Amino acid sequence: MVGESDRANAVVRALGDLAVDMARTSEVPAAAEPGTLGFVLVSPLPDGKSAARVTCDLRESKETDPIPVFAVIGDDVADNTVRRTYVAGATAVFQWPREALLLARLVAELLGVALVRGRAAKPQTALTRTLNAHLRLIPWITSGISVRTTADGEAILTGPVGTYRRKLELRRMTMGVPGVKRVDDSGLWVTPSGLSDRSVATAVRTVLRHTTAVDDGTVSVASHGGRVSVAGVAASRREARRILELVGQVNGVRDIDNSLVVSPPAKKKNRSTALRLNRLLTHRFPEERVHVSVFANVAVATGSTTSLSRKTEIEELIERDPAVERVLNKLEVAGD
């Protein structure tokens, strides 16, 4: 292992359980000593040398056969630096201390498999190998998922996931791996839940309605085959993000079509109209379970009524409001 910093001391402790003898040096070696299984380069390196430069020098040495080279870098190192290290021939790159638990496990795995000794044929081969190691750490999310990378650092994910929320978790995890510049998750699909679209849409509306950080009075949702459409107006980007996060956590949601618009003035106006209509409906029809959301002068009525005639009566009452230009009546008649 090359390095004398406090980070290097921590890496020594992290690798202490490996069934190998570890020699530590403050000098950058020109080549491997006989019997060396691999190098661990811990930045900052002596003489201000970069991990990419040292890796390249080791790979170009003709004195010994190529062996694995692992680079341990700080969490704040730029992606371009990580890419240069892979291009130089690094077997894997780890961010410290975020990937401390992964380090010993992956180093042990790669040193014990002859297939991965030496330099990968292409930089993305090493990055793909590192990504797969991350995926194996959380098998309850990543089972059945495959990953490949492109020469410019894009990670392409394919396979089934149980929920939309896990799809987002998988994307976030992949984006956090050193060397990944973009993530293409279009090949991931959420398996069907067996829930009806009515059940999914109702569950989404219930979640939004009971979350204090979100005003559902200006948001409308619909589900088609588990693909949930979210339309309406948000007061801020933060509220829009929160709405989408909540929708993605609902069981049965397989994908999201986002048609939210951020407009504080429109939000204020639509919210006022929605509050007025919901209070009126509660007063006139206290026995009915009706909720109205408003956006772009369109009122969307959801919930259930006791009869078809009452459904029509509610729609006519909403239409009389001067701020409403159109009504989307999604009320269900109890017993239908």
Side-chain angles (χ1 to χ4, degrees):
M1 193 192 79
V2 182
E4 287 291 341
S5 63
D6 290 340
R7 180 181 298 151
N9 295 333
V11 171
V12 169
R13 292 192 293 271
L15 298 177
D17 292 334
L18 295 181
V20 294
D21 294 327
M22 184 163 51
R24 186 173 176 184
T25 177
S26 59
E27 301 293 330
V28 177
E33 296 292 334
T36 301
L37 295 176
F39 286 105
V40 179
L41 309 177
V42 184
S43 64
L45 293 170
D47 302 324
K49 292 186 177 181
S50 68
R53 181 66 264 170
V54 174
T55 299
C56 187
D57 290 343
L58 289 172
R59 292 306 188 197
E60 292 177 352
S61 172
K62 305 300 182 182
E63 298 182 26
T64 58
D65 294 331
I67 62 175
V69 177
F70 306 99
V72 181
I73 61 176
D75 286 335
D76 57 347
V77 173
D79 281 347
N80 287 339
T81 301
V82 176
R83 290 291 299 165
R84 285 196 295 270
T85 307
Y86 275 122
V87 170
T91 305
V93 179
F94 303 91
Q95 286 184 312
W96 189 273
R98 186 164 61 86
E99 297 179 315
L101 295 178
L102 177 64
L103 175 63
R105 177 172 177 170
L106 185 57
V107 168
E109 178 180 331
L110 297 185
L111 290 180
V113 181
L115 175 65
V116 299
R117 292 182 184 272
R119 179 174 182 170
K122 298 179 180 179
Q124 64 260 37
T125 303
L127 179 55
T128 299
R129 186 166 54 216
T130 304
L131 275 168
N132 278 310
H134 280 75
L135 296 181
R136 287 194 293 273
L137 290 178
I138 47 174
W140 57 92
I141 293 179
T142 62
S143 178
I145 303 299
S146 63
V147 59
R148 62 185 178 88
T149 58
T150 63
D152 60 353
E154 181 177 39
I156 302 172
L157 302 167
T158 57
V161 289
T163 64
Y164 186 79
R165 180 179 183 178
R166 287 192 169 179
K167 177 179 178 179
L168 297 180
E169 290 175 354
L170 185 56
R171 177 182 177 85
R172 282 193 291 267
M173 186 209 72
T174 304
M175 291 178 67
V177 174
V180 175
K181 301 180 74 173
R182 294 184 307 281
V183 176
D184 178 359
D185 62 356
S186 60
L188 296 176
W189 67 89
V190 180
T191 54
S193 65
L195 298 174
S196 67
D197 282 327
R198 177 185 295 183
S199 298
V200 173
T202 299
V204 171
R205 294 187 190 110
T206 301
V207 168
L208 295 180
R209 195 166 300 161
H210 292 88
T211 303
T212 56
V214 169
D215 176 16
D216 72 315
T218 61
V219 179
S220 175
V221 298
S223 177
H224 303 282
R227 189 181 187 94
V228 175
S229 300
V230 183
V233 182
S236 64
R237 294 184 183 277
R238 181 178 181 180
E239 184 184 36
R241 285 195 299 268
R242 182 57 176 154
I243 291 171
L244 296 177
E245 288 174 358
L246 290 169
V247 174
Q249 294 174 10
V250 175
N251 188 31
V253 175
R254 302 181 65 195
D255 206 349
I256 299 176
D257 287 331
N258 175 22
S259 298
L260 288 172
V261 176
V262 177
S263 174
K267 172 74 175 184
K268 183 177 180 180
K269 176 183 176 182
N270 292 338
R271 183 175 185 275
S272 176
T273 303
L275 286 173
R276 182 171 63 250
L277 287 170
N278 281 303
R279 287 171 181 166
L280 176 61
L281 291 171
T282 300
H283 175 73
R284 292 284 298 273
F285 309 109
E287 73 283 5
E288 306 290 355
R289 300 176 59 187
V290 179
H291 180 78
V292 178
S293 57
V294 179
F295 61 94
N297 298 322
V298 177
V300 182
T302 57
S304 62
T305 66
T306 54
S307 66
L308 182 59
S309 61
R310 181 55 57 85
K311 175 180 178 179
T312 303
E313 189 176 354
I314 290 173
E315 180 177 342
E316 291 174 347
L317 180 61
I318 296 173
E319 286 178 334
R320 296 193 193 108
D321 191 287
V324 175
E325 296 180 358
R326 186 161 65 96
V327 178
L328 294 181
N329 194 340
K330 296 185 177 182
L331 293 172
E332 301 170 2
V333 178
D336 283 1

